[in-house]
Amino acid sequence: MRPVPMSVFAPLLACIFIFATFAPPVLHAQSAVPADAPYKSSSASVEQRVTDLLSRMTTEEKATMLSGSGWMESAPIERLGIPAIKMADGPMGVRSWAGSSAVTNAGKAAQVLATSFPSGVAMAATWDTALVEREGQAIAQEVKALGRDMILGPTVNINRVPLWGRNFEGYGEDPYLAARLGVAYIKGVQGEGVIPSVKHFDANNEEFERHRIDAHIDERTLHEIYLPAFKAAVEEANVWTVMSAYNKLNGVHCAESVPLLTDILKKEFGFKGFVISDWGSTYSTAPTVNAGMDLEMPGGPPMQEWFSTGQPAAAGNGAGWLTAEKVLAAFNAGEITEATLNDNVSRILRVMFEAGLFDHPHVAGGEVDTPAQKAVALQGATEGIVLLKNAGALLPLNAAKIHSIAVIGPNAAVARTGGGGSSLVKPKYAVAPLDGIKERAGDSIHVRFELGVGMQGENAALNTPEARAKMLQAATEAASQADVAVVVVGRYPKLETENYDVKTMDLPDGQDELIEAVEKANPHTIVVLNTGDPVTMTKWLDATPALLDMWYGGQEGGHALAAVLFGDANPSGKLPVSLPKRFEDSPAYGHYPGENLQVDYAEGIYVGYRYFDTKNVEPAFPFGFGLSYTTFKYSGLKVSRYKANGSGPINIELALTNTGSRPGAEVVQLYIHEDHPAIDRPIRELKRFQRVELKPGESKTVRFTLDRAAFSYWSPEKKDWTADPGTFEIQMGSSSRDIHLRAPLGFKD
Ligand code: BGC
């Protein structure tokens, strides 16, 4: 779609002017606003303020509020003192931005440098809800310090396909885990009076043709897999805004889907905030407004300039549909009712009052990347590292015993902090694995770096046969001369990014060969994955003694890695996604990326471990898995105080003991299994988890409470969640495939 020239609107604007002049007076409209107007008083309730302010607005002013005034700003209404909502991209920190928003913020096109937190999948690997809440809080503080009001995150889309370009942003494959972390992030952000936007609603699970692809998902799968994180964001965190997704869902673009925005989000979940479009995801005026899309972004001159290039329309973007002109025209044509317009505007105002934007505007100039914020980034990066293999207890390295380390690989000397696209934060500094290792190794350990292979697509000069042979030779030589070799492999923002899916699960060119060669040269080789997506490891995994997944660890990734390598930190990360052996083994294989712009989610509810465990397909590493330098014992499972009919809380407890010699943390995972389900069900589903820290020899009682909802599934017949009477099993595990304790449980009706 090409932008409509402004001249086209001239006759329309004239009509609007005539209409406005001769229309019957609206209560308060255009009159001077008294200083004691209720909406100006912070002691009035939010609803009183919304009602009062709305009653003072003209239809034109209301229509103006439905689209942005800039790339990252909603429209201010000066007459009434309604400020613009100033946004910033996230979710892994405040993304550097340029153009209108930087002008608003700093008076010039500023480069914003902020703390780069670990990617979403890395934070998910911590399974630490308290930490994610603190991350949300830290990011919100940076948003405020930069004079902004809103952070575009968290991303809670489910990692359905190993090739999704935004897997690094998401919270993994399990809806319960994604829900817990999303709720924590939102609470952290909103607690600071900053507006989050949980995104992308819904089913943005691939980047392939993301503006045109139509995801076909049955109702049960939607409710069990793709909606729970959004439902929890609304019902448990009372989230202030939801961002609609680019894609179509069951035939309709998400931004104009009545079932999605009105029926599910607003009616079923009871969402009271506003829906914001993804940037350039609207295709109509009245159908979009009537479906419940409240604020179109971007808007104003930056939107027009962007769209005038023709490139966004060619890519499938839509924009400029909720401009005041178009909304008024649809309103005057009777296609949008006053009640609808009032509802849209009330929602935006409600959030602004809730966040306190009228009472204490955020002023730029505060400190960013404070020691406290950096500490959260470091803790996230550290807790998110997953130890996948540790044969012969190669790790942790004993600094007193080793004299030399060869640090090798295209991701070793460069800090690859995150994936590409709107979430990539420019930090003030970033610690590469090599920096972290050198710093920790000190003077007594010699650290030699070799690239080994150039990163695919980065430097053509490194891609000649001669250059490659030379680099490989130098790497194997370095490895053979060192006590241990650390090979850091993975991708970077150009290969793993929003807007494109990853082409193959295989590591980029030459990285498998590099690992194989280094492992031959030195049996004490530690492979480190620095990527957000699962990668194929079959070529070298059997020969690899030690394997770590550091994901994209943000600016402190290198420090975190060094701490884990040397045992200053005991790894406690657990996989938030199953790592398949091959792409062909993954549940969505054959149902991705779709044909003729339609993608059928034919695997249904069998996403991730629900598929691997139920269908007996062995992954390389299962969901929930992660080793530690210590060991844990699960014992004494008690399931008590439940009523036979399943009403009332079910209390569960067990003892967890650190049986090793180091302090460490274990993530205790509670799965439920139903014996003879009336409906096809996964063999197990995650329902609770707890990250527990224990000193050596220490034992703690770990408690969980379940309600009957935890046993339910979405019934397509009843169109509701339902728990049938039957026999269940409570399974306590350290991964979906390491179940240590089981207890039966039955319900009768
Ligand atoms: C992304 C959103 C992002 C928005 C604004 C879109 O391309 O999908 O996640 O918040 O751009 O930058």
Side-chain angles (χ1 to χ4, degrees), residues 72 89 152 166 199-200 210 243 246 278-279 422 498:
M72 282 277 162
D89 239 320
L152 303 178
R166 290 180 98 162
K199 65 190 187 183
H200 310 82
R210 64 176 175 163
M243 188 189 291
Y246 279 129
D278 200 345
W279 268 232
S422 58
E498 169 183 340

Side-chain angles (χ1 to χ4, degrees), residues 191-202:
E192 289 292 313
V194 168
I195 307 168
S197 194
V198 63
K199 65 190 187 183
H200 310 82
F201 191 60
D202 191 18

Side-chain angles (χ1 to χ4, degrees), residues 69-73 87 89 95 97-101 279 297-299 302-303 306:
S69 64
W71 192 260
M72 282 277 162
E73 293 80 22
M87 307 171 192
D89 239 320
R95 177 209 190 186
W97 70 94
S100 67
S101 26
W279 268 232
M297 289 298 291
M303 179 276 293
W306 172 62

